[in-house]
Amino acid sequence: MRVGKLVALTSVLLLGVSTAAFAQNPRANPSTDLALINGQIHTMDENGTVAEAIAIEGDEIVYVGDAAGLGDVIGLGTEVIDLEGKMVLPGFVEGHIHPTAGALIMRGIDLQTDDPNELLERLRAHVEANPDLPLIHGYGVRTHIWGDDFPTAAMLDAIDADRPIYLWAVTGHAAWANTMALEVAGIDADTPETVPGFSYFDRDEDGNPKGWIVEVPAQLQVLSKLIDLNYDYAAEGVAEWLPKFSEAGITTVHDYGVQGLGAEEGFKIFVDLEKAGKMPLRLQGAFYWNDPDVDPVAALQALNDQFDTELVTARSLKINMDGDDDGYSALYTSPYADNPDADPDPIIPFDILNDAVKRADAAGFNVICHCFGDMAVRRVLDAVELAIAENPPRERRNVISHATLVHPDDHSRFGELGVTWDSSGAWMSFDPVLQNVSVTRLGEDRAHSMYPMKAIADAGGNVSLGSDWPAAGYISEMRPLVSIRTAVMRQLPGRDDVPPLGGEEARVSVDTAIRANTINAAYGMGRDHEVGSLEVGKKADLVVLSENLYDIAPSRIHEVDVIYTLMGGEVTHDSTEE
């Protein structure tokens, strides 16, 4: 498929291309397939070059520059888009995402709301409108709206007690089930906790499960009894969501670990899509490590050996170091403000962490991590520093993700150690979760120091944006334009009356935010030699936008439309055909 409104090239359509320039091309039918002209093409190269034309041959960019230079690469067989002054950017690079988890979680009804009554009414309407569904599935339940308590199975039983109801929290790290769902799964007072202290069932004083399920292992213990969590189920969900990635302008993703089914099955979904010609993005995956008794380097090596195609690779070791502030499971350098005695253990003990990072580094693998608190961040930085000291030099691209809080002493270490700071732009606001949970757990000052994107960038670090979709603290959002807007404003769309998180001084520039979702994210993946900027020899991954992000109020960035998305020279989204 080619972009709509294409025509065969004639001298009339060359617009700014001079006759002399065209005469320098002796080919009547050159191999260049596509040219975009008359645009504002922000290449995101080192010099911030803005071009007016770009030419593509196969899946590669063969020309970027002014219109006159096109004469060397185009001819009568080239298809042309007149951009009419529209903005072009590199295809967005998602620095942190979970597409297979999204395929499992983002099913049924969206329950993202701050009003508990609205949530229950929305759910009730969905139940009544779907009397034949064997399972009521939903997602996006916000945890802060229930105050200090968790919602209960009895609340769901009042809506439907005869069918299982299973609702994912917006975090992806909790779920809410009715009594029928718990009974089908065989969960009762005698059921041992899935992972004591980490993944468990909220219980009453007699030990009976009340309906709230904490963390993925216990969640899947229930869900796996309600549906068959197999390849076909996950593949169906992936196929449903992939077009939405293209609609958002995403062309490359850093998959932070398969969840909900086996790693090999998860990778196979995307390899099979690639073989069928239905894979609209590049996926670099990871081995997800949260069990200190498992050797992650051997497991990653096995995946790397098995999955290494043009579009699907397994190259990263994902380390899950801690939890979050809500459950007192994030690792901080200072005590929790409301519970100074809380002393959570790291998911991966520090000595095991150091050994794994050193061995992964020696094998040529980069590490990425879930590091919520500043102590988790510091310990992974320490592990990387040890690996650099003990192993031979190489081009390292390690990434610390979330990093919601970074101790000021560690700001400069990102740049010094070549570690990328990656976090979710859509989370970078003083949203109700931060107001109700983080301020309580950490105090006002630490809460307003969260997501120190500008501080890390100013200290010389590479900063990247990744949504962590489908997981979220407050809003599950994978569209890069929303991420860029919120990172710049430090305010969510529709909540501009709330002061910016960390004050106006915490805001980053539009250019920094765009780079974070393009070339900087590609750098963190070790893919900046092929994607992330529009340069000759790189892959032809790009987006055409309805407005120039540099020319409009930053508060409007999320309103800009993605007109076209191209990945590898092929159109994966064309809004003109909708």
Side-chain angles (χ1 to χ4, degrees), residues 228-391:
D228 192 357
L229 293 175
N230 58 19
Y231 171 95
D232 290 337
Y233 182 82
E236 177 186 289
V238 167
E240 177 185 341
W241 275 94
L242 280 182
K244 299 177 184 179
F245 293 171
S246 298
E247 290 172 15
I250 298 170
T251 56
T252 300
V253 299
H254 204 173
D255 184 343
Y256 265 47
V258 177
Q259 294 174 301
L261 68 165
E264 291 186 5
E265 286 184 302
F267 278 99
K268 186 176 183 298
I269 289 172
F270 298 103
V271 170
D272 288 349
L273 285 167
E274 180 182 4
K275 290 177 180 177
K278 298 179 179 179
M279 183 64 174
L281 45 77
R282 307 177 195 280
L283 182 143
Q284 180 169 304
F287 174 73
Y288 180 84
W289 186 41
N290 62 357
D291 183 349
D293 294 328
V294 171
D295 180 0
V297 180
L300 173 56
Q301 185 66 66
L303 289 175
N304 178 257
D305 291 342
Q306 187 174 356
F307 300 103
D308 188 18
T309 69
E310 173 69 19
L311 299 181
V312 182
T313 60
R315 297 181 180 174
S316 308
L317 172 58
K318 159 70 178 292
I319 304 171
N320 201 19
M321 283 302 299
D322 63 350
D324 59 23
D325 53 3
D326 188 19
Y328 298 104
S329 54
L331 304 177
Y332 292 108
T333 57
S334 298
Y336 284 89
D338 64 331
N339 186 7
D341 293 331
D343 187 22
D345 292 324
I347 296 172
I348 304 296
F350 299 137
D351 58 336
I352 297 176
L353 166 72
N354 292 340
D355 175 70
V357 172
K358 181 176 70 173
R359 290 189 297 113
D361 183 77
F365 293 125
N366 295 312
V367 299
I368 58 181
C369 74
H370 171 117
C371 294
F372 198 92
D374 58 354
M375 177 59 79
V377 171
R378 174 171 290 176
R379 289 295 192 162
V380 172
L381 287 170
D382 290 347
V384 170
E385 188 170 28
L386 287 171
I388 292 173
E390 296 190 23
N391 290 332

Side-chain angles (χ1 to χ4, degrees), residues 112 114 142 144 424-435 472-477 479 481-501 507 554-555 558:
Q112 295 184 81
D114 288 338
R142 291 173 176 162
H144 75 280
S424 304
W427 302 7
M428 296 179 191
S429 77
F430 197 45
D431 62 43
V433 170
L434 267 71
Q435 294 175 27
Y474 177 70
I475 179 171
S476 181
E477 176 61 74
R479 291 174 294 172
L481 290 175
V482 176
S483 182
I484 290 167
R485 187 266 193 208
T486 310
V488 172
M489 295 296 297
R490 305 283 286 192
Q491 295 163 306
L492 272 174
R495 298 182 61 86
D496 288 337
D497 58 325
V498 178
L501 178 64
R507 289 171 167 167
S555 60
H558 67 291

Side-chain angles (χ1 to χ4, degrees), residues 8 45 122 161 208 259 388 468 473 485 525 577:
D45 66 6
R122 195 184 297 180
N208 297 304
Q259 294 174 301
I388 292 173
D468 195 24
R485 187 266 193 208
M525 295 174 67
E577 292 185 349

